Amino acid sequence: DKITKGQRVLIIDDLVATGGTLGSAMSLVKMLGGVVVECACVVELKMFINPEDASGLPNRSKLFKELGHADVPVWGLISEDILNE
């Protein structure tokens, strides 16, 4: 009852990897009538954005497309590149 119809929403998460939690949050906002304008996270594991099918990794881009969220920008403050150094 806190999100009103047409309200613009920014979702902030601590970590985005496969996109399951973030995808669920976006679906909930849309179900309540809100509009997700952007998603921000502290750490983003980019290896899950669009891995090759042969890798066996979950594909966040495909998940968001299936859920109808492909148009929502997702950005991270830190990527695994920095964490792996």
Side-chain angles (χ1 to χ4, degrees):
D1 64 340
K2 301 295 180 192
I3 295 176
T4 58
K5 184 172 176 138
Q7 185 176 18
R8 295 167 48 91
V9 177
L10 164 67
I11 297 174
I12 301 175
D13 199 356
D14 59 344
L15 170 77
V16 62
T18 64
T21 304
L22 201 55
S24 294
M26 288 189 278
S27 294
L28 180 60
V29 169
K30 286 185 176 183
M31 184 176 72
L32 295 171
V35 178
V36 180
V37 294
E38 191 169 55
C39 295
C41 56
V42 176
V43 177
E44 179 181 23
L45 302 182
K46 294 185 177 199
M47 64 186 178
F48 294 106
I49 292 176
N50 196 20
E52 294 191 26
D53 291 335
S55 72
L57 293 172
N59 188 314
R60 190 167 77 217
S61 296
K62 285 183 182 178
L63 173 65
F64 286 179
K65 185 176 181 179
E66 290 168 4
L67 295 174
H69 308 314
D71 60 327
V72 179
V74 176
W75 62 269
L77 180 62
I78 300 171
S79 74
E80 76 273 7
D81 298 337
I82 293 174
L83 299 174
N84 290 329
E85 290 182 7

